[in-house]
Amino acid sequence: MPSTLDLYKKLTALPQGKRLFSIAFSQKAPYFASIHPRVQEMRPHLGQVLIPKRRSVQNHIGTVHAIAACNGLEAAMGLLAEATCPADMRWLPKGMEVSYLAKSTTSLTCIAETTQADWAAAPDVPVRVRAVTSDGTVTVEGLIHLWVTPKR
């Protein structure tokens, strides 16, 4: 079975490939479909997802809901983890710490980043995450902690 990263590379080489991969990604983890993610980047140490600002992700004041932002951050982290985790290891999220810094008034780009040194610290791997508006304002930032262990 091809890896998620292999599938990303194969599909994104096609016209509309990122759109097709985004749909497939949402089917694999159906909860992510609630934010209508558009996968922008997937590679080792980087995952990036766009959450379009639409009614289904808005709160009562018309901004992107904080939990929708967290869902996007977890989706970006999942892409990063799938692209970075060694084939003989498995990863599980074990916690998330976020700070809400500003109103999310536009679509959000959710970014997850690590370094090789972060993965060398396994089994506890910290993933830095942030959500950014179209004008560059960071609205949410924090850490998602992964537990990375050998596959059984």
Side-chain angles (χ1 to χ4, degrees):
M1 178 176 232
S3 73
T4 306
L5 182 58
D6 290 338
L7 182 60
Y8 174 80
K9 288 177 181 177
K10 184 176 181 177
L11 287 178
T12 57
L14 301 172
Q16 297 292 314
K18 284 189 178 181
R19 185 179 72 77
L20 293 171
F21 181 80
S22 296
I23 292 167
F25 180 63
S26 292
Q27 293 302 308
K28 181 71 173 170
Y31 184 71
F32 291 145
S34 68
I35 59 168
H36 310 280
R38 294 183 191 161
V39 176
Q40 294 183 316
E41 189 68 47
M42 178 186 189
R43 66 177 191 256
H45 305 292
L46 179 69
Q48 189 169 305
V49 173
L50 177 76
I51 302 173
K53 184 180 177 198
R54 51 194 309 168
R55 190 176 191 298
S56 63
V57 298
Q58 290 180 34
N59 58 25
H60 65 289
I61 60 172
T63 61
V64 177
H65 195 284
I67 299 305
C70 288
N71 193 359
L73 295 172
E74 189 168 355
M77 174 279 301
L79 291 168
L80 173 151
E82 285 291 309
T84 312
C85 193
D88 62 337
M89 304 291 275
R90 66 181 184 147
W91 62 272
L92 292 167
K94 70 175 199 172
M96 175 186 263
E97 303 161 14
V98 294
S99 296
Y100 304 121
L101 306 174
K103 291 180 183 176
S104 298
T105 57
T106 69
S107 295
L108 292 177
T109 299
C110 296
I111 304 160
E113 296 176 302
T114 59
T115 64
Q116 195 166 3
D118 295 326
W119 285 83
D124 189 15
V125 176
V127 179
R128 288 170 307 287
V129 293
R130 69 185 182 282
V132 183
T133 61
S134 58
D135 70 0
T137 302
V138 176
T139 63
V140 181
E141 69 178 0
L143 285 175
I144 298 176
H145 297 276
L146 299 183
W147 190 247
V148 180
T149 57
K151 287 183 178 175
R152 295 180 187 193

